[in-house]
Amino acid sequence: EVQLVESGGGLVQPGGSLRLSCAASGFIFSSFEMNWVRQAPGKGLEWVSYISSSGSTIYYADSVKGRFTISRDNAKNSLYLQMNSLRAEDTAIYYCARVPRGYYDRSGYYHDEWYFDLWGRGTLVTVSS
Amino acid sequence: EIVLTQSPGTLSLSPGERATLSCRASQSVSSSYLAWYQQKPGQAPRLLISGAASRATGIPDRFSGSGSGTDFTLTISRLEPEDFAVYYCQQYGRSPITFGQGTRLEIK
């Protein structure tokens, strides 16, 4: 079965750290770009971070830049998010999400479209004293 | 960044009716790189539409997307009971990726 399963969430104090994991199965993980997306309780979706299939290219939202680190281990089919200096506003469900593989059109133009075709069920991070 | 504004905030309709959801962007979305997702309580979002109009695998044909530039629409032609949920649009034409605030589709 094609799936993503997040883990590692929990309750942490402001200023603390947490490491989230996302285990992929049912597809060739090393061929896909991955992201973390979060959702605060009762709120909308917010993109957090992106990592290329090889791990060589990484991007972050301004709200987490300098505090969060995304990484992956293709041998273990796993994606990670190291979260440091956590704040109350980081409280959210964190989803890992897959970007579909890019493709060449008839003109030879390469399309790398960053929408999310597969999501995990999420893991809840609560930052509170 | 591109701000996406969805309207209405809440849409109250009955099964069998037609639903029209709007997503307006603060700047033109290049290449119609606009996606729609459905989210039910306690579940992860599910991809419905990419490229403004392409249905994802397994999505019923009662769901359709249209639009370009700054104005996009998700239409559900005939509502089924399982369609009542929150819907989000997302643009991926320009970094950073951004989402709309969502439209809640509720049973009237």
Side-chain angles (χ1 to χ4, degrees):
Chain A
E1 182 186 1
V2 175
Q3 64 177 355
L4 299 168
V5 179
E6 302 92 338
S7 60
L11 175 64
V12 61
Q13 292 188 337
S17 298
L18 212 55
R19 189 194 195 207
L20 306 183
S21 299
C22 171
S25 60
F27 64 97
I28 303 173
F29 178 71
S30 59
S31 296
F32 290 85
E33 301 159 32
M34 298 295 296
N35 291 258
W36 288 98
V37 178
R38 68 184 180 183
Q39 185 171 35
K43 302 297 184 181
L45 300 165
E46 180 188 15
W47 170 77
V48 173
S49 184
Y50 158 92
I51 188 167
S52 62
S53 57
S54 66
S56 60
T57 301
I58 285 172
Y59 299 109
Y60 298 100
D62 287 345
S63 58
V64 306
K65 201 174 295 183
R67 300 187 299 122
F68 290 11
T69 302
I70 191 172
S71 62
R72 65 190 296 162
D73 185 336
N74 287 341
K76 294 183 177 180
N77 293 328
S78 293
L79 175 72
Y80 305 102
L81 187 68
Q82 177 67 44
M83 304 186 296
N84 298 330
S85 303
L86 282 161
R87 307 166 179 167
E89 55 264 36
D90 296 319
T91 295
I93 296 172
Y94 285 73
Y95 298 100
C96 61
R98 186 182 77 175
V99 168
R101 295 183 68 173
Y103 63 95
Y104 289 93
D105 64 18
R106 295 179 182 178
S107 304
Y109 182 79
Y110 184 72
H111 293 261
D112 189 13
E113 300 184 23
W114 291 13
Y115 60 90
F116 309 120
D117 67 343
L118 180 66
W119 297 66
R121 300 190 68 171
T123 186
L124 176 62
V125 172
T126 303
V127 184
S128 174
S129 55
Chain B
E1 75 177 41
I2 295 179
V3 176
L4 299 179
T5 302
Q6 293 186 239
S7 61
T10 302
L11 186 57
S12 300
L13 294 170
S14 301
E17 291 192 294
R18 180 184 185 91
T20 303
L21 287 67
S22 173
C23 177
R24 178 162 291 179
S26 61
Q27 306 169 46
S28 182
V29 177
S30 59
S31 304
S32 294
Y33 281 173
L34 193 288
W36 289 93
Y37 301 87
Q38 176 193 69
Q39 187 178 34
K40 297 180 180 180
Q43 297 185 17
R46 177 175 72 144
L47 176 67
L48 298 175
I49 301 283
S50 64
S54 297
R55 267 190 307 277
T57 302
I59 301 303
D61 61 7
R62 65 180 181 273
F63 290 90
S64 64
S66 63
S68 64
T70 60
D71 290 296
F72 298 88
T73 300
L74 175 69
T75 301
I76 311 172
S77 59
R78 189 176 172 83
L79 286 166
E80 297 287 342
E82 62 267 27
D83 298 337
F84 292 91
V86 179
Y87 292 83
Y88 294 96
C89 57
Q90 175 224 341
Q91 70 80 23
Y92 49 96
R94 181 176 298 184
S95 182
I97 293 166
T98 51
F99 292 88
Q101 83 280 14
T103 289
R104 180 178 304 276
L105 179 55
E106 63 176 27
I107 299 177
K108 187 173 182 180

